[in-house]
Amino acid sequence: MREVLLEARNLTKEFPAGRKKKVHAVTNVTIQILRGETLGLVGESGCGKSTLGRLLIGLLKPDSGQVLAGGEDVTRMSDRQFGKYRRQLQLIFQDPYSSLDPRMNVREIIAEPLRTWNVCRTKEELTDKVLELMEAVGVPGEYLYRYPHQFSGGQRQRIGIARALAADPELIVCDEPVSALDVPVQNQILNLLSELQESRGLTYLFISHDLSVVRHISDRVCVMFLGMICEVGEKEEVYQSPMHPYTRFLLNAILLPDPHHRHEEEHLLTGEIPSAVNVPSGCRFHTRCPYAAKRCLSEVPQLKDAGGRLVACHYPLKP
């Protein structure tokens, strides 16, 4: 059994939407991230993936629930108390163009976290550390004083990765880190992340809506729909035999190696995606689920063990 590095218990986060309405971004989410693994977090746009990632590393405060690191509830800590964990929890942003300050050169961008955490004692030591990080992510050292606009999207994302590595973190939340890149560059960045994980003992929460990318890099997969967890399990088990209806339909919609071979019930998925402001009662997927029964309309399914994986469904599919 791997050690649990970070754990969320019953996390909930809502945002005001005007006229006393709320966006139910994350609702009652419980999840564990194991040391050394890559946990893929997947779901359609707007399902709450990025919000959950930011809650886990302290960039957002939950309305309720806990985030446990080392057995301590970091959501109840003051900023000063949380300081010892903040360095261990870093983020790689989705957009490599807007995530880098255009007024700072590469040395300044990567050196910023090194200065924040007092990693280096002299300017020379700081420059050497920046060059070391640039080499680790494949950015030539002669680009030390270039600015973000002088780089391609892939190179900018490499600089963003170097910045995240500078704090020597244990967990990195990768928030759609390759979605803005061309496919060949995506593969390069994914391979780089895998190499860094192996050499530095990193743990990733990899957020994406692209299931083919998640399958390439993840060890376990967590599926979200409208702010709630549907299914969590080992990658190949989830991909080969999904047990939650939403997972099944999500795989059918995205992974089509043989377009003539689909699950026969795929055409039964009907209706519009519910609003995160006016969420359905009971199971949030019941308005689109062909297997929904009366119980699904009123009773929220709990995330329970179902043959070695976790599934939140009253009537899970047979593996």
Side-chain angles (χ1 to χ4, degrees):
M1 295 291 292
R2 285 181 174 177
E3 175 191 354
V4 176
L5 178 62
L6 198 70
E7 180 179 7
R9 293 181 183 174
N10 306 118
L11 276 188
T12 295
K13 182 66 178 179
E14 298 173 342
F15 298 100
R19 295 186 180 182
K20 297 183 180 181
K21 294 183 178 180
K22 296 179 179 179
V23 176
H24 302 272
V26 172
T27 305
N28 200 34
V29 166
T30 295
I31 191 173
Q32 291 182 337
I33 302 177
L34 308 180
R35 185 179 296 278
E37 77 166 345
T38 298
L39 176 63
L41 181 61
V42 300
E44 295 168 287
S45 297
C47 73
K49 304 185 300 296
S50 294
T51 300
L52 177 57
R54 282 160 171 74
L55 288 169
L56 291 173
I57 62 175
L59 290 182
L60 290 173
K61 290 286 187 181
D63 297 327
S64 61
Q66 299 175 300
V67 177
L68 302 177
E72 297 186 63
D73 182 4
V74 299
T75 61
R76 302 291 181 264
M77 294 179 178
S78 65
D79 288 341
R80 184 175 182 180
Q81 291 172 322
F82 184 58
K84 65 179 180 179
Y85 293 105
R86 190 176 299 279
R87 179 176 177 178
Q88 302 302 321
L89 309 171
Q90 296 297 314
L91 176 67
I92 298 171
F93 295 90
Q94 176 179 359
D95 187 355
Y97 294 92
S98 63
S99 63
L100 303 180
D101 190 331
R103 298 166 297 180
M104 299 172 69
N105 60 38
V106 174
R107 182 186 182 279
E108 293 168 330
I109 290 170
I110 300 176
E112 189 172 26
L114 296 173
R115 289 197 181 99
T116 300
W117 300 108
N118 298 314
V119 174
C120 303
R121 292 172 292 182
T122 65
K123 288 184 178 180
E124 292 75 15
E125 188 178 347
L126 185 67
T127 299
D128 289 343
K129 184 65 176 178
V130 170
L131 288 169
E132 177 189 323
L133 290 165
M134 290 175 65
E135 181 181 0
V137 299
V139 177
E142 58 263 32
Y143 296 165
L144 184 65
Y145 295 102
R146 288 192 179 186
Y147 288 83
H149 72 273
Q150 297 175 287
F151 293 93
S152 67
Q155 288 174 320
R156 290 189 189 194
Q157 197 60 289
R158 289 174 185 269
I159 295 168
I161 294 171
R163 179 178 58 187
L165 292 175
D168 194 22
E170 292 187 339
L171 170 68
I172 298 180
V173 173
C174 306
D175 188 5
E176 301 267 12
V178 298
S179 63
L181 306 176
D182 295 334
V183 173
V185 182
Q186 286 185 12
N187 292 332
Q188 295 171 15
I189 297 298
L190 291 174
N191 290 335
L192 172 63
L193 289 172
S194 297
E195 292 167 6
L196 291 171
Q197 182 177 41
E198 183 175 351
S199 62
R200 294 171 178 261
L202 297 170
T203 302
Y204 294 141
L205 175 66
F206 191 93
I207 299 171
S208 180
H209 64 274
D210 189 334
L211 280 164
S212 60
V213 169
V214 169
R215 188 171 194 173
H216 176 80
I217 197 169
S218 300
D219 300 303
R220 292 190 303 139
V221 176
C222 175
V223 182
M224 282 190 77
F225 178 78
L226 210 61
M228 300 187 76
I229 301 297
C230 297
E231 184 169 356
V232 184
E234 296 295 327
K235 173 180 63 178
E236 292 306 324
E237 290 182 355
V238 172
Y239 276 75
Q240 293 176 11
S241 57
M243 296 182 69
H244 195 286
Y246 176 66
T247 308
R248 170 75 60 85
F249 294 122
L250 196 64
L251 288 167
N252 283 340
I254 297 177
L255 299 179
L256 299 175
D258 181 358
H260 302 292
H261 178 72
R262 301 186 181 188
H263 295 287
E264 59 182 14
E265 69 271 21
E266 181 185 358
H267 68 281
L268 297 175
L269 182 60
T270 59
E272 298 295 326
I273 299 174
S275 167
V277 176
N278 299 307
V279 295
S281 60
C283 175
R284 293 186 177 179
F285 187 59
H286 83 255
T287 59
R288 308 195 76 201
C289 181
Y291 311 110
K294 185 176 180 180
R295 179 185 181 188
C296 305
L297 278 61
S298 59
E299 185 180 338
V300 178
Q302 301 302 310
L303 200 62
K304 297 180 179 179
D305 185 271
R309 76 183 86 167
L310 299 175
V311 182
C313 182
H314 296 308
Y315 307 103
L317 304 173
K318 293 182 180 180

